[in-house]
Amino acid sequence: MRTIIDLNRKWAFAKGTTEIPSELPVLWNWVNLPHTWNAIDGQDGGGDYYRGTCCYVKDIQKLDIPEADRYYLEIRGANSSADVYWNGKHMAHHDGGYSTWRVDVTEVMESENLLSIAVDNSPNQKVYPQVADFTFYGGLYRDVKLICVSESHFDLDYYGGPGIKVTPIVDGNDANIEAEVFLTNAKLSQSVRFTVMDAEGNVIQEKECKDTVASFRISDVHLWHGRKDPYLYSCKAELLEDGKILDSVSTAFGCRSYVIDPNRGFILNGEEYPLRGVSRHQDRWGIGNALLPEHHEEDINFILEVGCTTIRLA
């Protein structure tokens, strides 16, 4: 089964260096993720905050992680460009600070491992935007994970994709659901079990097949209706072989229909639904963009408190 390891704690950090150390640099600063090096100098409005390369280093002991066939490093946000080194070997380069990306580190995994991530927020021609009215915070400002999976698994190589896609289409009082999964190293002896559940986790339908696509029909569907009724179903997919679950992924989904009318505005499930909202920056005084889950939750609560029905993620 898939196991996800949190790597957020205890990184050695150095500002303004491109040095990739051969051992853990214990004299560097110690930080936990999420982290940005512009939490202070990027908030005075002067535009003179540090923009350059900084390095994060962490040691990983093989004994501390589960045995698995494949290991993927998952970086959920490194602004704006980053390079990954595993035991000194360059593994990947990524441009773009606002997306999840992964690196297969299976072949370089040893009993003792040194992970280094060089992050650069200096201006370059590969990352959008070039100029804006906000700070381009540098750092590993979201979680870093290690995903441990079997040789056959739901896809982890297509950028930061989840390996599952659910498409609901409302049809009168019912909804037609198409669930599709994407597999890596699948075998003919394997099958996929799809399970659709309601918001309480009760199983509505279940189907096991050799195909990667399954269709369902939900009768008397409970519609997702924005803030009035944000009802969500869920779909779980399990990769099976000889009755054993090799891997599992799931996603939530809402069933709704919508139309944009030039005279009536936004129409949700046949009703006019006014869109009133704000633009939100992930930004806190003294924290920058390295927000913790409780900060995101508090922001959303404030936005709901003023009556918003929509949000622009700036």
Side-chain angles (χ1 to χ4, degrees), residues 4-52:
I4 301 176
I5 307 299
D6 189 315
L7 299 181
N8 283 352
R9 292 191 58 80
K10 198 177 180 182
W11 290 75
F13 171 77
K15 185 176 179 180
T17 180
T18 57
E19 173 191 359
I20 304 302
S22 57
E23 58 184 26
L24 189 66
V26 295
L27 296 182
W28 287 12
N29 293 319
W30 295 99
V31 301
N32 293 326
L33 307 183
H35 176 263
T36 176
W37 59 77
N38 299 123
I40 304 299
D41 65 351
Q43 297 201 321
D44 60 6
D48 56 350
Y49 59 96
Y50 177 78
R51 300 189 68 177

Side-chain angles (χ1 to χ4, degrees), residues 5 25-26 29 71 117 125 161 213 219 267 292 295-296 300 306 312:
I5 307 299
V26 295
N29 293 319
Y71 297 96
I117 305 177
Q125 297 300 312
V213 179
S219 300
I267 311 300
L292 296 172
H295 300 137
H296 292 290
I300 293 300
V306 299
R312 173 181 180 265

Side-chain angles (χ1 to χ4, degrees), residues 73-284:
L73 180 71
E74 181 178 81
I75 299 171
R76 297 190 175 180
N79 202 38
S80 355
S81 298
D83 289 273
V84 170
Y85 299 83
W86 194 279
N87 293 326
K89 181 180 179 180
H90 184 254
M91 299 297 297
H93 174 83
H94 182 265
D95 291 308
Y98 306 107
S99 58
T100 294
W101 50 289
R102 304 187 184 103
V103 184
D104 187 343
V105 297
T106 308
E107 304 306 325
V108 291
M109 179 72 71
E110 300 176 4
S111 57
E112 296 184 1
N113 302 275
L114 194 68
L115 167 60
S116 302
I117 305 177
V119 186
D120 182 8
N121 71 329
S122 59
N124 68 69
Q125 297 300 312
K126 295 182 179 180
V127 177
Y128 178 84
Q130 299 293 317
V131 178
D133 60 346
F134 56 84
T135 298
F136 295 95
Y137 292 103
L140 293 174
Y141 72 97
R142 286 186 177 163
D143 295 341
V144 173
K145 310 280 188 180
L146 187 68
I147 305 176
C148 315
V149 291
S150 63
E151 190 67 31
S152 299
H153 55 269
F154 293 105
D155 184 68
L156 290 164
D157 292 299
Y158 188 73
Y159 301 97
I164 183 172
K165 179 178 71 172
V166 175
T167 306
I169 299 177
V170 175
D171 181 17
N173 293 325
D174 305 334
N176 296 315
I177 312 299
E178 182 181 273
E180 182 177 7
V181 294
F182 306 88
L183 297 172
T184 298
N185 297 324
K187 300 177 181 178
L188 293 176
S189 58
Q190 297 167 351
S191 61
V192 179
R193 180 167 62 203
F194 296 89
T195 305
V196 175
M197 292 165 283
D198 63 17
E200 288 73 41
N202 301 310
V203 175
I204 299 175
Q205 294 184 47
E206 190 172 272
K207 184 179 295 185
E208 184 177 337
C209 57
K210 294 287 186 178
D211 201 355
T212 57
V213 179
S215 298
F216 303 89
R217 187 172 179 86
I218 301 177
S219 300
D220 296 320
V221 65
H222 191 146
L223 297 178
W224 179 91
H225 203 79
R227 286 197 59 188
K228 293 180 180 179
D229 190 3
Y231 190 91
L232 293 176
Y233 293 89
S234 64
C235 179
K236 178 172 66 175
E238 297 166 302
L239 181 61
L240 306 175
E241 185 171 29
D242 297 327
K244 179 183 177 182
I245 301 174
L246 301 180
D247 196 12
S248 178
V249 291
S250 63
T251 186
F253 65 94
C255 298
R256 77 289 181 268
S257 63
Y258 63 90
V259 175
I260 299 175
D261 187 280
N263 298 312
R264 298 175 60 201
F266 184 75
I267 311 300
L268 177 64
N269 300 326
E271 298 179 8
E272 294 182 7
Y273 191 82
L275 300 180
R276 303 186 180 98
V278 295
S279 177
R280 182 205 178 218
H281 287 267
Q282 50 180 12
D283 191 301
R284 287 268 176 139

